[in-house]
Amino acid sequence: MDCCSTNSSLLSLEQALEKLLSQSSAIAQTEQIPLAQAVGRITARPVISPLNVPPFDNSAMDGYAVRLADVTPDAVLPVAGKAFAGQPFQGEWPAGSCIRIMTGAPVPKGTEAVIMQEQAEVLENGVRFTHSPKAGQNVRLAGEDIRQDAEVLPAGSRLGVAQLPILASLGISQVEVYRRLNVALFSTGDELQAVGQPLQDGQIYDTNRFTVRLMLEQIGCNVIDLGIIRDNEQALRQAFHEADAQADVVITSGGVSVGEADYTKQILDELGKIAFWKLAIKPGKPFAFGKLSNALFCGLPGNPVSAAVTFYQLVQPLLMQLSGHSQWQPPRRFKVKTTSSLKKTPGRLDFQRGVLSTGANGQLEVSSTGHQGSHVFTSFSQGDCFIVLERERGAVAAGEWVTVEPFNHLLER
Ligand code: AMP
Ligand code: MG
C-alpha cells in the first residue's frame, strides 16, 4: 500500500494545507464571557487598555521621596510624612524635608527621586543621604508598562495564563471571544471495539476516537462523539447526516484508504464535495477533505499514528483558522544532529518520532524512538518531537543534521 511508484501524483503537505486553509475562514459568532472562564479562548477583537499601568507614579523601593535640590552632601532632612501602598501622603510637603515612602506607594506631588533606605542614615532630627540621587530614580511612571488606549492583545489571540492576568490588571472583567467550534467525531471499522468492552476475536480497541477527542479538547472544541460506526452503508449514511447537521467540522477515522474509500465516497458525494487525497507524507498517506452540506469534513487514515500525525499536521492548522486563532504559529522547527541512523526512502515527507536531549558538547541532539510503523503508538508516548525528513531524502546516518519539530501542547509529555 505504501508503494512509491506514483510519487509524482502525491499531494505535498504544503499543497494540502493550501487547499484546506483556502476553503475556510474564522467562524463569525462571538460571545462575551467572564475573564475567569476565558482560559484557552480566542479574542474576537483587539483588547484595548482602559487605563494606564501603573495607574499613577509610584515608588520602586522602600526609602525616601526627595526633591533633588534639597539633597546636598551634609543636609539632614526632617521627615514630613509617610506614603504607603494604598495610603498616599496627604498634606503639605515643606521645602527642605523628605517623605518616608514604601514600594508601590504613590509618590507625593513634587517628588523628583526616591532614595532607597539602604542609602539613608536615620538621625534624631532627620535623615542624611549617603548617595546623591539622579532625577527620576526609583520612580515607576504611570503608563510605563501599558498606556491607556494601547492595544494589549490583537484579535485572534489565545487567552492563556500569560495573557489573562494582564487583562485582570486592567480591571477588564468580560472579554469577547469566538464561540467554541463544534466538532463531530466518529470512528469507522467492523474491527473496532469501544474501550471498556471485552474484545471479541479479531477486534481491536478504538484508539483514534480517543486520541482525536483528547486533541480536540486541548484545542478547546466542543466534541460531539458519535461513537463507532460499522462499515455498513446505512449506518455510515446516517452518521454523516447526523454529524453534518450538528457540527462545524466532522472528523472521522478509517475508511479513506484505497478499497474502502469507494464506499464512503458514494455517501459523501450525496452530501457534498469531498476529495480523497494521497499525501506525500509518512505516516498518513490517505486523507479526505471537503465540504458536506453544512460542515467541513476531514477523513483521517485508520492507522493510529497516521491519524495522529495527519490530525496534528493538517487538521490542527485548519481548526486554528476556523476558531479565529489568527496569531497561531505552526510548531517551530530547527536543526540538530541525530545520534541514531534513520530508515527512509525518497518520495514522502517523513514525520518520525524522536527524543531531544543535550549532548556532551552542550548542544541539543535527537535520537529515534525506534520502530516507526504507522501502528506503533508507543513511538509517540516515548517521543517529544517529530524528526521531519525531507521528501527526497534517503536513509540518514548517525551524525547527520536533521530538522526537528518539538511537540506542542497537543502531544507534549
Ligand atoms: P483503514 O484506514 O480503515 O483501512 O484502517 C487502517 C488500519 O488502521 C487497520 O489496521 C485498522 O484496523 C486500523 N484502525 C482503523 N481505525 C482504527 C481506530 N479507530 N483505532 C485503532 N486502529 C484503527
Ligand atoms: Mg477500516
Side-chain angles (χ1 to χ4, degrees), residues 188-191 231 253-257 260 302:
T188 69
D190 284 336
E191 75 280 31
D231 290 321
S253 91
V256 290
S257 52
E260 285 195 308

Side-chain angles (χ1 to χ4, degrees), residues 187-188 191-192 204-208 253-255 257 260 301-304:
S187 292
T188 69
E191 75 280 31
L192 301 180
I204 56 168
Y205 282 118
D206 173 11
T207 34
N208 295 345
S253 91
S257 52
E260 285 195 308
N303 277 309

Side-chain angles (χ1 to χ4, degrees), residues 9 73 96 108 114 122 140 179 188 207 215 231-232 243 287 305 320 326 331 367 374 388:
S9 66
V114 169
V122 182
R140 303 164 175 160
R179 75 156 165 81
T188 69
T207 34
M215 294 203 276
D231 290 321
N232 157 312
F287 186 87
V305 179
M320 290 300 118
S326 58
S367 60
S374 56
V388 188

Side-chain angles (χ1 to χ4, degrees), residues 17-258:
L17 270 174
E18 236 288 314
K19 285 176 190 276
L20 281 172
L21 298 178
S22 64
Q23 289 183 49
S24 62
S25 53
I27 46 166
Q29 298 95 327
T30 67
E31 57 188 341
Q32 192 85 12
I33 58 168
L35 207 57
Q37 290 165 22
V39 71
R41 303 298 294 272
I42 313 297
T43 55
R45 53 177 70 231
V47 176
I48 306 296
S49 177
L51 38 91
N52 280 319
V53 179
F56 45 82
D57 295 355
N58 69 90
S59 177
M61 289 282 177
D62 291 348
Y64 298 86
V66 296
R67 300 182 181 106
L68 295 179
D70 294 335
V71 186
T72 51
D74 284 319
V76 175
L77 303 186
V79 179
K82 291 175 181 163
F84 292 126
Q87 288 170 41
F89 170 74
Q90 314 274 0
E92 285 299 303
W93 179 8
S97 66
C98 63
I99 310 262
R100 178 79 171 122
I101 192 164
M102 307 308 273
T103 307
V107 298
K109 199 161 178 292
T111 300
E112 291 175 327
V114 169
I115 304 180
M116 65 165 112
Q117 61 194 21
E118 290 77 2
Q119 297 177 352
E121 230 180 300
V122 182
L123 307 171
E124 242 168 51
N125 54 342
V127 184
R128 184 164 57 213
F129 297 104
T130 55
H131 293 65
S132 52
K134 291 199 186 71
Q137 168 186 302
N138 298 324
V139 177
R140 303 164 175 160
L141 297 177
E144 195 175 276
D145 185 2
I146 300 168
R147 291 224 150 268
Q148 188 173 347
D149 297 328
E151 183 179 293
V152 188
L153 289 175
S157 301
R158 184 174 185 275
L159 295 169
V161 178
Q163 289 72 33
L164 286 165
I166 298 180
L167 273 55
S169 78
L170 298 173
I172 295 173
S173 61
Q174 299 267 319
V175 59
E176 189 173 343
V177 296
Y178 287 102
R179 75 156 165 81
R180 289 185 193 276
L181 287 178
N182 297 316
V183 182
L185 174 66
F186 61 88
S187 292
T188 69
D190 284 336
E191 75 280 31
L192 301 180
Q193 179 60 285
V195 178
Q197 300 297 314
L199 284 183
Q200 308 295 326
D201 204 20
Q203 285 189 324
I204 56 168
Y205 282 118
D206 173 11
T207 34
N208 295 345
R209 194 159 47 92
F210 193 65
T211 317
V212 173
R213 187 187 177 116
L214 291 177
M215 294 203 276
L216 288 170
E217 284 169 356
Q218 296 278 346
I219 289 174
C221 300
N222 287 327
V223 181
I224 304 160
D225 189 341
L226 299 177
I228 298 168
I229 308 298
R230 299 296 162 208
D231 290 321
N232 157 312
E233 193 176 333
Q234 200 42 47
L236 270 175
R237 181 177 284 108
Q238 196 192 322
F240 272 112
H241 277 274
E242 203 181 316
D244 181 40
Q246 298 180 62
D248 300 301
V249 185
V250 176
I251 300 178
T252 65
S253 91
V256 290
S257 52
V258 181

